[in-house]
Amino acid sequence: MSRKAGGVLVAVGLVLAAVAVFLVLRPSPTTTEPWSADGADPVAYAAELVVGTNAARADEDLPALTVSQCATTEATVRAEGLTGGEELEHASLTPVIEACAPASTAAENLARAAASPHDVVDAWLDSPGHRANLLDPDLEQVGIGCLLDGDEMLCSQVFLGP
């Protein structure tokens, strides 16, 4: 092989190495999946949030949450109460605990977004308070109620513990 050909191969190798480093170090896109309110199914959306929540818990070696019908009903009522509002505000969880006895602990995550369920779970994981709820080893059950609020999905995620 000539010196010139060897130099070209080295140059090509350096370019390929630079491209590989760029691909590894470039920031990942902020939105992983496109989402639209058109034809969105709140029940399916909530189910995907449960799957994403349990995947995040599995990544931390935590047991999966079981779906509670009571928590789902309470979460739906809580989401309905926030429809059309500007701010998402947490209400007292005492009515949830009373309705879902024998649970003695409850926590809640709220979301209103034009985003995929995967992106909502990621946003919760990026927020210290939401992350603490999602990954709390003392919480055992979850219920999620979602509804369309304009062109966004509004969801309440209610957790229950012993």
Side-chain angles (χ1 to χ4, degrees):
M1 178 183 326
S2 71
R3 247 184 218 200
K4 186 175 183 179
V8 169
L9 287 176
V10 168
V12 168
L14 290 174
V15 168
L16 289 175
V19 169
V21 168
F22 170 76
L23 291 174
V24 169
L25 295 180
R26 73 178 173 173
S28 60
T30 55
T31 302
T32 57
E33 305 168 27
W35 186 84
S36 170
D38 296 334
D41 177 3
V43 173
Y45 193 97
E48 288 183 49
L49 288 174
V50 171
V51 169
T53 295
N54 279 330
R57 288 176 64 87
D59 288 346
E60 299 294 325
D61 295 323
L62 294 169
L65 299 167
T66 58
V67 175
S68 161
Q69 186 56 51
C70 183
T72 301
T73 299
E74 293 300 311
T76 301
V77 168
R78 293 170 79 80
E80 288 169 350
L82 295 168
T83 303
E86 291 182 27
E87 295 291 323
L88 293 180
E89 292 187 24
H90 295 279
S92 169
L93 290 164
T94 300
V96 172
I97 293 169
E98 290 171 354
C100 297
S104 63
T105 305
E108 179 183 51
N109 287 342
L110 299 172
R112 180 189 289 126
S116 71
H118 179 271
D119 290 337
V120 170
V121 172
D122 281 350
W124 282 335
L125 289 169
D126 287 341
S127 163
H130 294 99
R131 180 182 186 86
N133 289 341
L134 204 139
L135 300 178
D136 187 334
D138 294 329
L139 299 174
E140 300 171 342
Q141 299 179 326
V142 68
I144 303 176
C146 296
L147 54 95
L148 283 171
D149 190 15
D151 62 351
E152 297 176 310
M153 193 65 78
L154 170 62
C155 300
S156 169
Q157 180 182 48
V158 171
F159 301 92
L160 301 174

